[in-house]
Structures are given as structure tokens and as C-alpha cells.
Amino acid sequence: MTSAYARLADLVAAHGAAALVRVASVQGSAPREAGAAMAVRPDGAFHGTIGGGELEWRALAEARAALAEGRGRLRRLDMQLGPDLGQCCGGRAIVTVETFDARDLADLRTMAEAAAEGVPLAARMDEDGRVARAPTSPRRGGGPREARTGGDEGRHHSPPPVGPAGRRPPLRGGIETLGDALTWLEETAPRPTPLLLFGAGHVGRALVLALAPLPFRVRWIDGRADAFPAHVPANATAVHTDEPGLEIAQAPPGAFVLVMTHSHPLDLALTAGALARADLPHVGLIGSATKRARFEKRFREVGLDEARINDLVCPIGLPGIGDKDPAIIAAATAAQLLQARERALAAAPPMPVAGPSAS
């Protein structure tokens, strides 16, 4: 998925300026979640959406006005969707508008690199009323480590101030005031879920294409050097290896696994290896209920935990879709993976807030 910062960098490089429209916070029902963003060109063309309707229309008008005035302070729109906008959602949304020009291009590219890695940003309001951001280095536990620095204007890359007892801003709960600065953590893009996909056959190829615009980082593995197409989507890495089992052993905790190779014995070995790791929350295997029954018998023979055997997703894909066309299997499987991702995120530690939302 292309992040808003990557879009902004491209627009500034091509048009000299661009605006970032972001949903900073939401109370109640709203068209989009906090963090949803749009990149806006000086001529009013845009990429992305904050939900459409009157909310988006007014935010775009504000972005065009800000771009017409030139690079300036952050603007903040606080709107009640029912009374102010006549939208039936009925909630409250705070939307921010920031403008950028060629002076910000290096910073935007740094932010785009952070977004590609799923790295949050340490952000603060600077003395000019603009947002200064620095990529953070993730550490175990989900909090920020030290911010990376660089660039020509150090204050735009400086890490935010640290409060009493070395406190950093919280991962949720809005903005925390530390000293004289508003400081928060900001997600750059949906954090991609790592996915190990074993098999580059017809369904594997269709699935990689289905996952291309979705928040997954795909490691696509096959032992046949000529199995992969000449080009793969940007979020996928083709891996030719004679030792696919090592990929299971080296997978990061939280990775998803899908097994659909050309070999049933290989399917069995890879699936057993994945189920043996309790920290891999989603293990899927292509095949019928008969194949599952046969594999379950073998899993019990080798002593796999019964609960993990029951966790196996086989057949794959949303129930009720019986068509065997590879593209349809891929669509049903991609939707199932999104459901599994939602469950995994719900069980994960809180994520960084989107931006300045204090009244």
C-alpha cells in the first residue's frame, strides 16, 4: 500500500507543493478511522479518502485554501458530523490540514521510508505551528526507542522531548503535554502483517495479486526457480529455496502462513512446522476436508498439540464460496486473511494515535 507520505513526496516533486489531510481523532461514528489520510495537489486533485461526503468536501476546500496561501501552520477542523455537516454518522471528527513544498521533500521521503517499514513517527508541534516528525525505531513491547536523525534542518528530525522520569507519549489516549510541546506518536501507514506463502502455482499467483493492495508483507516461497512470474507486486518478495522449512523457523512472531505447494508431503511438513509454533496465529492449508482429515491423523502421530491442530484453517477461504477458479479462491482467501488480521490486531497492544486532537 502506498502511504500518504510517499504520495506527498511524489506530488511535491512533480507539482512543487501538496497538502496532507488527516483524520486526527474520532468520537462516536464517523466515515473513517483516526489516521485515514489524503494527499492533495495544488489543483485540487487528490489521492486517498477520509470517507467522502460533506466532511471530505470541506476538508478538501480547506486544503486548497491552505495551498493557495503557501506553506504555513497546521490547520485544524473540529466538526460534528450531524449538526455541522448533516451527515447521518452523528459523531465528531477532528481533521488536520498540513502543507508542504520543496523545502520538505527530503523529510517527506524519510517519512515515506518509515511508512514502508511500518515504523511510527514521534511528532510534536514546533515553534512555527508546524508538525515536526522523526521516525522511531520499534522495540519489543511496541513503544518507541530513539528517533533516527538526519537532514538539513535538525529541528524537523529531533526526537520529541522526554517528560518527567523519561516518559514518552502514550500509545493511546490522545495527546500528552510534555513541557511546552504537544507530543504524540503517529502511525505512518497500516502496519503490514507478515505472510509466508508457500507455493507459486495458479492459486499462489492469483493470491499474490489479490493481496497487492492490502496490508500484508508477503514472503512468497517456492523451490522451483522458474515458478515465479517476471514481476511481483511491491509488497511481495519471491524466495527460491531448497530449504523451505527454514522459512518457518525464521518467521517473525505473529506471521501468517499459507501452504499451497505442488507436493502433498511438502505441504504436510510445512504445515506441521507452522502449527508447532504457537506464535504463528494463522496457519492455512489449501485442500479439501478429506485432505485435512488425513493430515490431522499424521499431526497427532507426531505429537502436535490438539488445540493447534484445531486451529488449522483448511479448506481455506470464506465459507460458502465453492468456485474453484484460482482468482475466486484468492479473493475468498484474501477476505479470510483480512478477518484474521482484524482479530490479531484486536488482541495486540494499543497502536499510536493519529495526531493532534486536543481541544
Side-chain angles (χ1 to χ4, degrees):
M1 299 180 68
T2 302
S3 72
Y5 291 105
R7 292 286 191 193
L8 287 167
D10 290 343
L11 294 181
V12 169
H15 302 279
L20 172 66
V21 175
R22 180 187 296 276
V23 179
S25 72
V26 167
Q27 294 178 1
S29 178
R32 287 294 304 273
E33 69 285 352
M38 307 170 64
V40 185
R41 291 183 352 192
D43 63 3
F46 58 90
H47 301 271
T49 178
I50 59 169
E54 186 68 17
L55 173 69
E56 184 170 291
W57 184 256
R58 293 198 187 185
L60 284 171
E62 190 73 18
R64 290 193 296 270
L67 285 166
E69 293 181 10
R71 183 177 182 270
R73 300 172 63 89
L74 175 139
R75 300 187 181 201
R76 182 174 172 276
L77 307 176
D78 187 346
M79 291 176 282
Q80 299 284 346
L81 274 65
D84 295 340
L85 305 181
Q87 292 190 216
C88 60
C89 299
R92 174 192 179 199
I94 296 178
V95 176
T96 58
V97 177
E98 299 174 63
T99 50
F100 304 88
D101 63 19
R103 289 169 285 181
D104 304 300
L105 188 55
D107 287 348
L108 289 171
R109 286 175 172 157
T110 298
M111 301 305 104
E113 291 173 3
E117 299 169 6
V119 174
L121 304 176
R124 64 178 174 83
M125 295 294 295
D126 68 15
E127 61 271 23
D128 297 326
R130 297 179 58 79
V131 179
R133 298 177 173 91
T136 63
S137 298
R139 61 173 173 81
R140 293 189 184 276
R145 200 162 60 192
E146 63 184 56
R148 291 176 290 182
T149 59
D152 297 329
E153 296 180 71
R155 64 184 178 85
H156 289 293
H157 290 280
S158 301
V162 178
R167 290 186 300 119
R168 291 287 190 186
L171 290 183
R172 64 172 158 186
I175 291 177
E176 180 178 4
T177 301
L178 302 178
D180 296 327
L182 287 177
T183 306
W184 65 95
L185 290 180
E186 176 184 298
E187 283 189 78
T188 50
R191 294 190 179 187
T193 297
L195 168 65
L196 275 64
L197 173 60
F198 292 91
H202 294 298
V203 176
R205 288 185 175 219
L207 183 58
V208 164
L209 292 177
L211 295 174
L214 302 179
F216 293 93
R217 186 174 66 251
V218 183
R219 192 163 175 84
W220 192 15
I221 304 147
D222 202 294
R224 303 165 296 174
D226 59 350
F228 299 106
H231 302 285
V232 300
N235 69 331
T237 301
V239 179
H240 170 229
T241 178
D242 295 326
E243 298 183 277
L246 290 179
E247 295 289 331
I248 296 289
Q250 296 169 1
F256 289 7
V257 177
L258 279 179
V259 179
M260 50 183 69
T261 79
H262 60 290
S263 163
H264 275 219
L266 183 56
D267 282 357
L268 178 67
L270 291 171
T271 306
L275 291 174
R277 285 191 53 177
D279 60 352
L280 302 180
H282 184 88
V283 180
L285 169 68
I286 197 168
S288 64
T290 300
K291 180 177 180 178
R292 177 185 184 120
R294 291 176 178 172
F295 275 36
E296 284 185 351
K297 181 175 184 294
R298 296 294 302 276
F299 295 153
R300 293 186 181 98
E301 290 173 355
V302 299
L304 280 179
D305 181 75
E306 190 68 25
R308 283 297 283 163
I309 294 174
N310 292 334
D311 286 340
L312 175 65
V313 179
C314 179
I316 58 173
L318 292 181
I321 300 177
D323 197 305
K324 302 303 182 184
D325 183 274
I328 294 176
I329 296 174
T333 303
Q336 186 178 54
L337 288 170
L338 288 171
Q339 288 181 332
R341 182 175 184 273
E342 291 282 341
R343 291 192 296 270
L345 289 176
M351 302 295 281
V353 297
S357 58
S359 298

